[in-house]
Amino acid sequence: MELRQLEHFIAVAEESHFTRAARRMHIAQSGLSASIRALEVELGAPLFLRTTRQVELTQAGRALLPEARRALATVEAARDAVAAVQGLLRGTLSVGSLQCLHVVHLPAVLSRFHELHPGVEIRMRQSGNAELVEEVRAGRLDLAFVTRQPRLADDLRVSTLASEPLVLACAPGSPFAGRESVALDELEEQPFVDFNADWGTRDEVDRTLAAAGVDRHVAVEVNDVHSLLDFVGFGLGVALVPQSFAVKPTRAHFVGLRGDVPVAETVVVTGHTVSAAAHVLLDMVVEARAGRLRAAG
């Protein structure tokens, strides 16, 4: 089995089309088809269901796809390790992140990384927690910044970047606005503004309120912090948000929670094989995070 065959297989699987895959790999379609056939013969199983309109993975193909991605990622990591010894970073760094990552200013960190390592192509993707984690697990992302999930696959590494309490955000005219603290059960009949499912801290807030026995109604769903705070500030609902949101310019007021205060934990997820470029970026993120904490102190 050759690495080139795995590259051809992944291209066809992702494009669901031999012609597009051949164009992507800069190879004649006949050569691509021959490569896939040779791989199927070696493995003793068909990898694709071919029709006149589309190409679909067989059960064997679906089983091979994550392993093929991991194999290529391991090879790329080996190349990166040799390059790193020579003081050279090259290749591609694929980064996933929640939108409005509040614990570190990622654009500034990526800009600095690009300045220091212009030979590395940076690819950036924003999405929900579960999708980003799956992209890392499948080898399509080198690392992702997400909110910690209750259960993560054993083939992933998880490192905590920041942990902070949740607070209540409410409008200036809300009866909660002048309070020092609020209990979760007082929020029973309040309309809520929150992120879309699997976005930001939404899942953590869902679990927190369910555990407190609060049957809530989400009146407004958004996918960015600024919209959430705007809707809250103008009285469309309350929200439970990380404490650091209080530094953002907004009409909303922030009130602490009483009792067993829930926390939002931002983590970095990687595979067990981490590229040299990803290691460098993680070091820069930790340094930038420490700098922000020193400035805040």
Side-chain angles (χ1 to χ4, degrees):
M1 186 184 304
E2 299 178 0
L3 291 176
R4 194 65 174 166
Q5 289 176 311
L6 294 181
E7 291 175 339
H8 293 163
F9 165 71
I10 291 172
V12 176
E14 292 181 345
E15 298 291 342
S16 298
H17 199 278
F18 273 83
T19 301
R20 290 196 298 269
R23 190 180 303 121
R24 165 174 156 179
M25 298 303 299
H26 305 289
I27 185 176
Q29 184 173 335
S30 58
L32 179 68
S33 297
S35 176
I36 297 297
R37 282 196 300 270
L39 182 59
E40 290 176 323
V41 169
E42 182 174 349
L43 294 175
L47 300 174
F48 295 102
L49 295 172
R50 301 163 173 85
T51 68
T52 56
R53 293 187 176 182
Q54 63 182 1
V55 177
E56 296 181 357
L57 285 168
T58 62
Q59 185 174 355
R62 289 193 295 272
L64 176 61
L65 184 58
E67 300 303 328
R69 285 173 172 149
R70 272 193 282 270
L72 293 183
T74 300
V75 170
E76 187 60 31
R79 291 172 178 158
D80 287 345
V82 174
V85 170
Q86 298 173 323
L88 172 69
L89 283 181
R90 59 171 179 77
T92 301
L93 175 63
S94 298
V95 181
S97 176
L98 300 171
Q99 194 171 10
C100 294
L101 182 70
H102 56 281
V103 299
V104 65
H105 192 232
L106 194 55
V109 176
L110 291 177
S111 175
R112 179 62 175 161
F113 179 94
H114 177 67
E115 180 183 342
L116 295 175
H117 307 288
V120 179
E121 178 188 356
I122 299 173
R123 296 176 182 171
M124 179 72 197
R125 175 177 174 79
Q126 291 182 333
S127 189
N129 290 304
E131 184 172 345
L132 291 174
V133 169
E134 176 57 26
E135 292 285 290
V136 172
R137 194 195 66 77
R140 291 188 288 269
L141 290 176
D142 293 299
L143 70 161
F145 300 93
V146 299
T147 301
R148 181 180 287 277
Q149 303 300 292
R151 292 177 296 275
L152 289 170
D154 293 337
D155 56 350
L156 295 174
R157 290 181 179 178
V158 182
S159 302
T160 300
L161 184 61
S163 182
E164 58 181 316
L166 294 179
V167 297
L168 178 72
C170 60
S174 166
F176 300 125
R179 300 265 298 271
E180 290 187 3
S181 63
V182 175
L184 290 176
D185 58 11
E186 295 182 77
L187 306 177
E188 174 70 42
E189 297 183 359
Q190 294 293 316
F192 273 80
V193 180
D194 210 332
F195 297 111
N196 295 321
D198 192 44
W199 206 266
T201 54
R202 171 64 183 268
D203 294 343
E204 179 61 34
V205 173
D206 283 342
R207 288 190 294 270
T208 294
L209 292 174
V214 176
D215 183 17
R216 70 162 177 163
H217 167 61
V218 179
V220 181
E221 290 187 323
V222 300
N223 61 7
D224 72 281
V225 173
H226 303 291
S227 294
L228 183 147
L229 294 179
D230 280 346
F231 281 112
V232 168
F234 282 92
L236 273 297
V238 299
L240 294 182
V241 299
Q243 188 177 52
S244 60
F245 284 15
V247 302
K248 298 182 180 296
T250 175
R251 288 168 48 94
H253 285 224
F254 299 88
V255 184
L257 298 176
R258 280 203 305 273
D260 189 9
V261 178
V263 298
E265 190 172 2
T266 303
V267 300
V268 183
V269 178
T270 66
H272 280 288
T273 301
V274 184
S275 69
H279 271 301
V280 171
L281 179 66
L282 287 174
D283 288 343
M284 294 177 69
V285 166
V286 171
E287 182 180 348
R289 174 66 178 160
R292 289 187 69 173
L293 291 175
R294 286 193 298 271

